[in-house]
Amino acid sequence: MENDIWNEISSFLNQLRCENINRESYIYFQELANIQLKKKMEKEKVNKLLDHISYEDREKLKQYGEILEEEAFVSEQRAYCQGYDYFLLGTL
């Protein structure tokens, strides 16, 4: 039951924080922008390497990459909810 509630809260908070990146409260991290640029450049190199390996190995690597991205997203969601939970409990 508790996880169902947090799932709903997580979904709501994700919509709330992702809808308007131009708002005053939007937090911008230069480090994140740098990493995203670095990731884009490295992805181009990886795509060239993928052309030279078997289809099966390529699919395994793609699946692994998708799992890493999913893990990062869920970890970010958890950290956000924990911060929100701390904020709420700290103000009560």
Side-chain angles (χ1 to χ4, degrees):
M1 175 74 171
E2 188 173 312
N3 275 341
D4 292 338
I5 293 169
W6 277 112
N7 287 338
E8 289 298 318
I9 291 173
S10 173
S11 178
F12 169 74
L13 292 176
N14 189 47
Q15 285 179 336
L16 185 64
R17 71 183 170 138
C18 294
E19 287 179 359
N20 183 5
I21 64 170
N22 296 320
R23 68 185 189 277
E24 261 185 57
S25 62
Y26 183 76
I27 299 172
Y28 175 79
F29 286 106
Q30 182 61 47
E31 296 89 353
L32 179 60
N34 294 343
I35 290 170
Q36 289 171 332
L37 178 60
K38 185 177 178 180
K39 178 183 167 186
K40 182 180 178 181
M41 293 185 324
E42 292 300 316
K43 187 173 183 176
E44 292 173 10
K45 294 176 188 176
V46 169
N47 285 337
K48 288 179 184 177
L49 288 173
L50 289 176
D51 291 338
H52 302 309
I53 63 173
S54 70
Y55 176 79
E56 293 81 16
D57 289 344
R58 190 176 325 127
E59 289 303 308
K60 288 176 188 175
L61 287 172
K62 285 181 180 181
Q63 185 179 21
Y64 181 68
E66 289 171 3
I67 291 169
L68 289 176
E69 286 183 13
E70 183 180 5
E71 178 188 32
F73 177 77
V74 172
S75 179
E76 179 184 324
Q77 289 291 97
R78 183 184 67 178
Y80 184 79
C81 288
Q82 285 177 333
Y84 193 78
D85 183 49
Y86 178 78
F87 173 77
L88 287 177
L89 292 176
T91 59
L92 295 177

